[in-house]
DNA sequence: GCGGTAATCAACCAAAAGGTTGATCCACGG
DNA sequence: CCGTGGATCAACCTTTTGGTTGATTACCGC
């Protein structure tokens, strides 16, 4: 029985590339495409009622418009497409802590980088479809590094704070955005500064960007 | 006579996608691939001595490693591949002012976005190979908007300030580093905030990074 | 169940940053 | 030669951040 894959990426070029690449591998069939998370949910449900179940969703995290990959992953895992939730394999361009944490938290089964060689992508697809976890070597190394060196590591919430910091938001704005008090924001910041070895928000952004805790662009 | 295209992108997936997409269009042949700018120059020269000239280079600007697209474009236009310089069409993910300007300055004949529909890409390839300029609608709109409403430009000193800002230095530290008073630093910052349309240093860093006034990462 | 960690909030004070006004000096161009 | 804009500085005041202390809730692992 072949692995039935749904592609989700907002770039037609990338969808064509994945389709062409996966077509070269026996045992893998691309049964659908979608340009964003919302379309993916619709496509999943459509394929389900047609009796053509999807074994694996291959999805980019960053979508230019429409529902983003993290949200879509969470909704798929929650069964909101009206289907038994298939594994979701993230295939994206960047490897930073924030993206990886968000994807795993949302229920992704794997995290691969787009510049991976074709065979690595093939293996990841097969593993993820079989219910296993598939991580790119770069990603795996990051996670192992975190475990080996657990002290200077930011919690998920703290990473989220740093991301908002980097957009230039004030403490008040962050508090409103996260529905918490300014006092809590300040507490988080103090912890973040201590962990990163800095004493102000701009230095925290600089260090977090350099350590690839957040993405610098 | 078909248009002979060389693909340059560090993502195998994207190269496969472009190859598959262009294969569907009559009159266009992909005659080579390269994973970065340096490899592109080598490939160009190799195809030249083989008597298989390239009519168009289709290239991404951001290459993970190796020579970046802007440098490669400039070198191709300077004839450093030992060939009559073919037109270079940029096909990339982002539409930043700085990227567009850099590409055009380096001699690119066009600037398209990867999320463009296949037919738009086809038209751009044909136009660029014919020596015309091909701009994505989003890019054209940006350039026109820039002319109509020119963004205030930071002075050299101000850019220098923003660079130091992004390293996380305090006003006092910046003052000492530049041998000026804190008052002067604050004055510069006020001007910078006004020009960038923000009201604090982190937002200034975010905007400056996004506009590629400084480099992130 | 106990101890650790994460997340939440409050009050307070000190330090830094933000905003305003006004001023001097210098270089460059019409 | 006079205006414009860049770079420099000062005084003053308001707002935001940073640093500390202390406390509650909840979950997780042993």
């Amino acid at each position: 029985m072949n692995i039935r894959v749904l592609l989700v990426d907002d770039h037609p070029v990338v969808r064509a590339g994945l389709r062409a690449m996966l077509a070269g591998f026996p045992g893998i069939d691309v049964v659908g495409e979608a340009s964003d998370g919302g379309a993916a949910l619709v496509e999943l449900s459509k394929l389900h009622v047609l009796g053509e179940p999807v074994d694996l969703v291959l999805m980019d995290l960053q979508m230019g418009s429409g529902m983003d990959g993290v949200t879509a992953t969470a909704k798929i895992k929650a069964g909101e497409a009206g289907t038994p939730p298939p594994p979701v394999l993230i295939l994206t361009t960047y490897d930073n802590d924030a993206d990886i944490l968000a994807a795993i938290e949302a229920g992704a089964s794997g995290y691969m980088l787009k510049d991976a060689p074709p065979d690595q992508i093939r293996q990841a697809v097969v593993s993820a479809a079989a219910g296993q976890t598939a991580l790119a070597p770069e990603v795996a190394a990051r996670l192992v590094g975190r475990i080996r060196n657990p002290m200077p590591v930011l919690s998920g919430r703290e990473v989220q704070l740093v991301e908002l910091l980097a957009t230039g938001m004030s403490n008040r704005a962050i508090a409103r955005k996260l529905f918490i008090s300014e006092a809590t924001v300040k507490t988080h910041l103090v912890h973040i500064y201590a962990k990163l070895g800095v004493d102000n928000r701009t230095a925290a952004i600089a260090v977090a960007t350099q350590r690839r805790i957040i993405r610098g662009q």
Side-chain angles (χ1 to χ4, degrees), chain A:
Chain A
M1 183 59 170
N2 280 3
I3 300 170
R4 309 168 55 77
V5 177
L6 173 67
L7 303 180
V8 189
D9 198 300
D10 57 340
H11 296 162
V13 171
V14 174
R15 292 203 302 270
L18 287 171
R19 194 179 263 280
M21 182 174 289
L22 296 178
F25 300 134
I28 301 179
D29 291 338
V30 174
V31 296
E33 293 185 9
S35 63
D36 71 35
L41 287 171
V42 173
E43 196 66 18
L44 261 184
S45 132
K46 202 182 290 178
L47 287 166
H48 182 64
V49 300
L50 286 176
E52 303 210 36
V54 168
D55 298 320
L56 178 73
V57 176
L58 197 54
M59 179 157 58
D60 191 1
L61 273 191
Q62 285 84 27
M63 241 82 75
S65 61
M67 188 191 302
D68 70 72
V70 174
T71 310
T73 301
K75 284 185 185 292
I76 288 172
K77 287 321 222 178
E80 291 203 19
T83 68
V88 176
L89 177 60
I90 300 300
L91 184 71
T92 191
T93 309
Y94 308 101
D95 65 328
N96 56 70
D97 290 5
D99 282 355
I100 297 170
L101 284 177
I104 290 176
E105 216 165 53
S109 301
Y111 195 103
M112 295 291 299
L113 301 180
K114 274 185 190 165
D115 56 1
D119 194 65
Q120 215 172 82
I121 294 180
R122 194 200 102 253
Q123 283 182 13
V125 167
V126 173
S127 298
Q132 295 181 303
T133 299
L135 292 180
E138 297 90 335
V139 175
R142 287 183 96 62
L143 293 183
V144 171
R146 286 181 73 118
I147 292 164
R148 265 213 294 263
N149 214 6
M151 198 36 214
V153 150
L154 303 188
S155 71
R157 191 60 153 176
E158 286 165 351
V159 171
Q160 197 180 4
L161 262 284
V162 177
E163 282 185 300
L164 295 179
L165 262 198
T167 68
M169 293 173 77
S170 68
N171 291 348
R172 179 169 305 172
I174 293 172
R176 281 205 260 254
K177 173 119 183 171
L178 297 182
F179 304 107
I180 58 180
S181 76
E182 271 185 74
T184 304
V185 172
K186 291 174 74 172
T187 303
H188 282 308
L189 289 184
V190 168
H191 294 156
I192 289 167
Y193 297 161
K195 287 182 179 180
L196 296 183
V198 299
D199 63 355
N200 67 70
R201 62 221 276 115
T202 45
I205 294 169
V207 170
T209 306
Q210 215 212 328
R211 290 202 197 153
R212 309 238 267 169
I213 291 168
I214 56 173
R215 180 169 57 241
Q217 198 162 42

